[in-house]
Amino acid sequence: MDVKGSGKKKERASIFSQWPFNKFGNEEKWQQLFKTLVITIISLVAFLITWWGLSELADTDYLPDPETVFRSFIDTFQIRDPLTGRNMWDNIMASLTRVMWGFALAFATAVPLGLAMGFSKNADDFSKPVVEVFRPIPPIAWAPIMILALGVLLGPIVLVFIGVFFPLLSNVIFGVRSIDPILSDAARTLGAKRSHLFLKVILPSTIPYIMTGIRIGLGIGWMCIVAAEFIAATGGGVGQYIVFKAEVGRYDQVYAGLVVIAILGLLTTELSGYIERRVSKRMGML
Amino acid sequence: MKLTLEKLRKTFPLDEGELVAIENIDLEVESGEFVCLLGPSGCGKTTVLRIIAGLDTPTAGSICLEGKSISGSGSDRGMVFQEFALFPWRTVRKNVEFGMELKRVPKEERHRISQKYIDLVGLDGFENAHPYELSGGMKQRVGIARALANEPEVLLMDEPFGALDAQTRNLMQKELLRIWQETKKTVIFVTHSVDEACFLADRIVIMSARPSTVSEIYEIRWPRPRDRASVEFANLRKQILAKLERMVRIEDDGTQR
């Protein structure tokens, strides 16, 4: 059995050579990271200088300079608005809660529907006409009627739902259809029936696609909630904050609100992207 | 268990008429026998194997296992694929246990059986690795263990070493023979490598190009392990290669793809 022994040793070694951190030396990796960091800083500084220069040139309340916006940004978190009694944390929580409810609703419906549409041709034929009619409508176009019909509490949530639903649905269907048919073949030769195929092959291999749908859906969800809060101006929210501040002419605070939205959007996308990559790696689908 | 193919025929519909992929294949495989299906590429060897596995349905003819006609896929026929076809989200152990999970084998017994086959294919120590962490040869060891752990009567292998480099391939052939001798399974092995067939098989079934049918059967009674450098090995290889070459030439002259 010496043949077997030596073969195993060789294969064991080849595993380690595949690990990503061995692709290039550690030093080279740090150098690359450092370079990226420097370029990123240059880019941001150039952006701030341009902003500052433009605001000096324009000399108008509509474009405050970066420093003013930064101060307002800090203040909004600390000082409660005298009219509404809210600071930025309250507004963020209000928006976040709506996004999460809308997202939960979309997740609970789009994932099962997507799995069914991907798996069964009948389900696809049945649902597709309706889905295809509604898909091209920008979610924000629903805002006026939804808020009138469903009220300021439910309306914005339903808008987020619409925004998250379609990208999630598309990704789930795509995920089910992207399954390598050979995996189904393998499962069948191991004795799998149709219900087994669904639970043990299709469902697990769709999870990374569901994660992608979540990431894209959450990005759109944030856009929807800000738009909805422009119209449904009660109960707080970052969108609402921006409208109020624009109305009273505090443009520096409007920009601070925009910065908050940018950061929240970035955080959401980065966090779900991170989870997506972790899950894909865990599932062995890199 | 004895496997019988009777007048197997498979056609695919074309715009006009039909394409006859397989015509009248009769074959008997004895229990514990190692049979290689060998033929030029596109000759339908894989289709025959897929029909036996129940992944494709024959247009006519039947497959019998110990005299009992079978249709559809089932755990009595295990299959090993050229592309490995491992479930990427499952660890080595979970891949091997897949078939037992479907049969609701209790967890402890599942563990015991999977360990037995993981040891058999020489993967002890890699139970918790995911397929992406394994080399090609190791992946196919998992593929073999997964098929065997389901305790099939027949092991169907579709060019299982086709995606491996030459060295790993030779090693895996030796490993497969060892595993076959330990488990005494009936093996039907599809390959287009004459060398591989001569090294492994009790019988080599040569299949002709489309429409595919059994062209000739070679029985090899040499003991194992066989010596690739021996004169008799070289002679048989030459003889089969010449036959295959003639078949391909006839096809090139006579028909269009």
Side-chain angles (χ1 to χ4, degrees):
Chain A
M1 275 309 132
D2 59 330
V3 177
K4 177 193 158 201
S6 63
K8 244 167 83 178
K9 205 181 260 172
K10 204 186 102 231
E11 287 179 355
R12 238 178 256 259
S14 76
I15 286 188
F16 291 103
S17 61
Q18 280 169 12
W19 283 17
F21 55 71
N22 277 356
K23 262 186 193 147
F24 37 85
N26 250 354
E27 202 167 308
E28 224 172 303
K29 192 178 158 190
W30 283 115
Q31 268 179 8
Q32 191 59 48
L33 258 171
F34 182 71
K35 215 169 131 189
T36 308
L37 189 69
V38 169
I39 295 175
T40 308
I41 289 170
I42 292 174
S43 161
L44 289 175
V45 168
F47 165 71
L48 287 175
I49 289 174
T50 313
W51 177 1
W52 182 79
L54 280 175
S55 80
E56 286 297 304
L57 276 175
D59 192 24
T60 152
D61 286 348
Y62 292 125
L63 186 57
D65 63 76
E67 196 198 334
T68 314
V69 172
F70 181 72
R71 280 179 201 286
S72 305
F73 175 81
I74 300 292
D75 286 348
T76 56
F77 282 93
Q78 288 165 346
I79 301 164
R80 285 181 188 280
D81 187 284
L83 278 176
T84 60
R86 296 190 186 95
N87 65 17
M88 189 55 86
W89 292 118
D90 301 325
N91 287 317
I92 290 174
M93 280 316 290
S95 296
L96 195 63
T97 310
R98 292 181 184 122
V99 169
M100 283 307 145
W101 275 109
F103 171 77
L105 276 175
F107 187 84
T109 49
V111 171
L113 183 63
L115 288 171
M117 285 176 74
F119 190 55
S120 142
K121 179 141 176 33
N122 287 342
D124 189 48
D125 289 342
F126 180 78
S127 321
K128 208 175 182 177
V130 184
V131 168
E132 289 308 319
V133 165
F134 282 90
R135 190 204 302 274
I137 303 173
I140 294 158
W142 291 100
I145 188 67
M146 282 298 163
I147 286 156
L148 281 175
L150 299 172
V152 290
L153 273 180
L154 204 55
I157 291 175
V158 171
L159 272 187
V160 174
F161 163 79
I162 296 171
V164 179
F165 182 83
F166 289 102
L168 191 52
L169 182 74
S170 306
N171 269 283
V172 177
I173 295 173
F174 180 67
V176 176
R177 299 208 174 131
S178 305
I179 293 166
D180 191 344
I182 200 137
L183 290 183
S184 303
D185 285 349
R188 282 169 64 197
T189 62
L190 291 163
K193 304 279 167 267
R194 216 170 133 85
S195 60
H196 291 138
L197 282 184
F198 185 76
L199 286 173
K200 302 250 176 195
V201 179
I202 288 168
L203 199 56
S205 54
T206 311
I207 287 174
Y209 294 89
I210 295 177
M211 299 306 298
T212 307
I214 289 176
R215 176 170 53 77
I216 297 168
L218 279 178
I220 296 174
W222 271 114
M223 294 186 191
C224 294
I225 199 58
V226 172
E229 286 170 355
F230 281 2
I231 297 170
T234 176
V238 184
Q240 213 182 91
Y241 173 88
I242 291 174
V243 176
F244 281 175
K245 294 305 170 181
E247 277 167 4
V248 298
R250 283 297 301 272
Y251 303 121
D252 55 325
Q253 293 183 331
V254 171
Y255 281 94
L258 289 176
V259 173
V260 170
I261 290 171
I263 293 172
L264 287 175
L266 201 64
L267 280 180
T268 315
T269 315
E270 283 299 308
L271 186 68
S272 46
Y274 174 76
I275 296 172
E276 183 189 344
R277 284 191 298 276
R278 280 298 297 271
V279 169
S280 295
K281 197 172 154 59
R282 177 75 189 73
M283 308 276 297
M285 291 177 260
L286 299 168
Chain B
M1 239 187 245
K2 190 167 154 178
L3 181 85
T4 322
L5 310 185
E6 223 170 279
K7 298 213 182 325
L8 217 56
R9 180 182 156 90
K10 175 78 178 173
T11 60
F12 295 101
L14 293 178
D15 289 342
E16 280 174 44
E18 53 183 17
L19 174 82
V20 183
I22 296 171
E23 184 78 276
N24 267 335
I25 289 196
D26 286 305
L27 185 67
E28 281 192 6
V29 181
E30 295 300 327
S31 181
E33 196 181 10
F34 199 127
V35 171
C36 276
L37 302 185
L38 181 69
S41 53
C43 79
K45 337 181 262 292
T46 296
T47 310
V48 172
L49 206 67
R50 286 179 63 87
I51 290 174
I52 299 172
L55 295 174
D56 284 339
T57 47
T59 313
S62 65
I63 305 150
C64 294
L65 203 55
E66 203 67 15
K68 241 182 79 195
S69 174
I70 42 174
S71 68
S73 55
S75 57
D76 49 357
R77 285 145 291 148
M79 188 145 167
V80 177
F81 298 84
Q82 178 178 7
E83 306 89 337
F84 315 129
L86 303 179
F87 304 114
W89 57 90
R90 286 175 166 252
T91 60
V92 168
R93 179 184 299 287
K94 288 295 224 169
N95 263 285
V96 175
E97 289 183 359
F98 188 89
M100 291 186 276
E101 256 179 60
L102 302 182
K103 285 189 207 152
R104 300 183 183 282
V105 175
K107 197 173 175 182
E108 271 158 39
E109 199 187 339
R110 225 158 61 197
H111 193 94
R112 186 180 59 75
I113 295 173
S114 65
Q115 192 63 53
K116 176 177 143 192
Y117 286 101
I118 288 168
D119 291 348
L120 179 72
V121 300
L123 278 181
D124 42 316
F126 291 99
E127 289 85 351
N128 297 318
H130 279 87
Y132 70 89
E133 296 172 289
L134 305 177
S135 66
M138 295 168 89
K139 281 183 189 153
Q140 201 53 295
R141 285 170 195 265
V142 181
I144 294 168
R146 182 178 65 178
L148 288 174
N150 219 16
E151 293 181 345
E153 309 290 347
V154 184
L155 186 61
L156 307 168
M157 307 188 84
D158 184 15
E159 301 198 30
F161 308 143
L164 306 178
D165 63 81
Q167 268 186 328
T168 312
R169 190 172 183 153
N170 283 352
L171 171 71
M172 290 299 289
Q173 288 166 0
K174 285 181 191 151
E175 286 284 273
L176 177 62
L177 286 179
R178 175 182 65 78
I179 291 163
W180 171 66
Q181 276 157 353
E182 277 181 45
T183 57
K184 311 244 183 284
K185 293 284 175 207
T186 309
V187 177
I188 303 179
F189 188 108
V190 163
T191 180
H192 60 242
S193 158
V194 178
D195 178 84
E196 189 165 63
C198 293
F199 188 75
L200 294 173
D202 290 325
R203 274 195 300 160
I204 301 178
V205 177
I206 311 270
M207 293 174 58
S208 64
R210 228 176 267 141
S212 183
T213 182
V214 174
S215 156
E216 195 165 347
I217 297 178
Y218 288 85
E219 263 199 79
I220 312 176
R221 294 181 186 281
W222 309 329
R224 296 182 177 87
R226 292 172 184 163
D227 179 9
R228 284 193 157 88
S230 72
V231 177
E232 47 187 0
F233 195 98
N235 282 340
L236 180 65
R237 217 170 66 178
K238 212 159 138 192
Q239 199 182 334
I240 296 175
L241 272 172
K243 179 159 182 64
L244 287 175
E245 218 166 275
R246 268 201 309 281
M247 269 166 25
V248 174
R249 213 176 300 138
I250 290 164
E251 188 199 28
D252 281 353
D253 291 348
T255 59
Q256 281 183 323
R257 258 185 78 90

